Amino acid sequence: MKQPFPEEALRYVGDDPRILESTADAVLLFGNSKVAKIASPELIERESFVISGQAGELPVTTPHLVDWGVNWLVMDEVEFDRGRWSDEELIEAVRQMARLHDEFEDAIVLTSPVLRKPFSRDLGRLFRETASVAAHLSNELIEVLEDPAVLTEALDQLPLTLTHGDPWPHNMLRDPQGIVWIDWTQASAAPAVADLASWLDQTPFAIGRTIDRRAHIDAYLEARSKEVDAGAFARALDAARVAWFLAFDAPNLSSLADESAALAETMVREAERALAAVRG
């Protein structure tokens, strides 16, 4: 994203803010104890919709939203711990995720056009960039790439809820009062497993060590106050893992294999095992 930055945002962070992060999607600026995010109108509208309270009162903590415009928003700085995540803190994040999903299950706000709906239409649209790396995939995964009906069928068995869209430790800050959930630009109306699958597969990369997946799943289910069909949930969770793998990990397999063939092979095998579980 190119400068100049919006003058409205600079009024909060100053004329010479520090760039905290710059990606293809957004730039984060820091100054005057404020953080400004500069991104596309679609992403800003979605994040401000959620953290301003327009979507409803959240059962999780978010940064305080100070102001926003068409392509920018400004939040108060969050003082947070940059140290190692403990197992207890990870489990607490999972429990908070469960409370979020409980609060918004089948809520009217899920019909809002502002929220993403990644699984609501042809799931294959998520896989557009994956065809070029089919050589790295097994025949079983290629079949799903071409016809994802087996995934859609499993995901459709669960009700929709508000999902964060990209939950992992990098999008959670630990301040003295607890966990602050940041970056709601991918907030979605989706089955709850979309968030849990993302958490289970991304968290080890964020913290640099493995996690007890079963403990995280159990903690999530125990924290849900609404009844969950365990069989349908488990099958949909594996379906979401396969969907996210094909949509976001598979397109990078070629470059990943050049750096670590073993890691790329492990990721493919995990997706194959998840697919086998979906099929029963």
Side-chain angles (χ1 to χ4, degrees), residues 47 51 60-63 92-98 100-101 164 167-168 171-173 179-184 195 199:
E47 182 156 24
I51 67 175
V60 298
T61 302
T62 66
E92 173 56 23
V94 169
R95 292 186 179 124
Q96 291 188 15
M97 184 188 303
L100 171 69
H101 296 160
H164 176 276
W168 65 320
N171 283 336
M172 298 179 189
L173 306 179
I179 297 173
V180 180
W181 292 56
I182 66 171
D183 194 0
W184 291 81
D195 267 354
W199 172 267

Side-chain angles (χ1 to χ4, degrees), residues 4-5 13 67 73 87 139-140 145 147 151 173 183 187 192 199 216 219-221 225 227 255-256:
F5 300 119
V13 297
D67 197 0
L73 58 78
D87 290 340
N139 291 335
E140 291 79 9
L145 197 62
D147 180 9
L151 303 183
L173 306 179
D183 194 0
W199 172 267
H216 282 228
Y220 173 89
L221 292 174
S225 61
E227 185 176 353
S255 57
L256 180 61

Side-chain angles (χ1 to χ4, degrees), residues 6 33 40 45 59 65 82 90 97 112 116 128 133 153 160 163-164 167 175-176 182 193 198 230 237 272:
S33 298
S40 70
E45 182 181 24
L65 181 63
R82 300 174 186 273
L90 294 172
M97 184 188 303
S112 170
R116 292 173 68 242
R128 286 191 297 264
V133 297
E153 177 189 346
L160 299 182
T163 61
H164 176 276
D175 77 355
I182 66 171
V193 291
S198 181
L237 178 59
E272 290 172 347

Side-chain angles (χ1 to χ4, degrees), residues 3-22 27-38 73-74:
Q3 293 191 16
F5 300 119
E7 292 184 5
E8 302 98 320
L10 293 179
R11 283 204 299 266
Y12 290 99
V13 297
D15 293 330
D16 189 27
R18 178 162 56 94
I19 296 180
L20 293 179
E21 184 177 343
S22 180
V27 174
L28 293 180
L29 308 174
F30 173 76
N32 299 329
S33 298
K34 300 286 188 292
V35 175
K37 176 178 284 188
I38 320 298
L73 58 78
V74 174

